[in-house]
Amino acid sequence: MVVGLEDYLQLLSSKGFQFGEEAIGFIYFGKQYTNASDELARTALELTLKAQKSFDGSFYVSLLELLTSKQITSRNEALKFIKEQKILAV
């Protein structure tokens, strides 16, 4: 089931992750800035939250930039790349 970025943010909110307006704006800014798909933005957000235990805008955008620069387009590709490069323990 493919979930849009907005739906994913609502899902996270229902699970207790609270994002302020500034954080939400930054999430969408990063997506637009890197020309990332919703799937890639969701994956970067998920990995950011797992690694940082909270939303870190600069980490999120850096991760999105890295993934898009490597022409990664799917969650599976992103997770594989992250594991292979030992960027995060996922």
Side-chain angles (χ1 to χ4, degrees):
M1 173 170 95
V2 175
V3 178
L5 183 56
E6 183 175 344
D7 294 331
Y8 186 63
L9 287 169
Q10 289 175 351
L11 174 68
L12 289 174
S13 179
S14 74
K15 292 184 176 194
F17 287 96
Q18 298 303 315
F19 299 99
E21 285 183 36
E22 186 175 312
I24 290 172
F26 206 82
I27 290 166
Y28 282 100
F29 164 78
K31 178 185 179 300
Q32 184 177 8
Y33 175 73
T34 60
N35 198 29
S37 66
D38 273 11
E39 181 178 9
L40 204 57
R42 284 191 323 268
T43 302
L45 179 56
E46 173 190 347
L47 293 170
T48 298
L49 294 174
K50 284 181 178 179
Q52 304 295 330
K53 308 299 184 219
S54 64
F55 181 70
D56 178 332
S58 61
F59 185 91
Y60 165 77
V61 170
S62 294
L63 187 55
L64 264 180
E65 286 178 322
L66 176 62
L67 296 174
T68 56
S69 74
K70 298 296 182 183
Q71 300 178 339
I72 293 171
T73 58
S74 73
R75 183 178 189 278
N76 287 339
E77 290 174 349
L79 294 177
K80 181 180 176 189
F81 175 77
I82 295 298
K83 282 181 186 178
E84 287 173 351
Q85 299 301 309
K86 297 181 172 84
I87 295 171
L88 299 170
V90 290

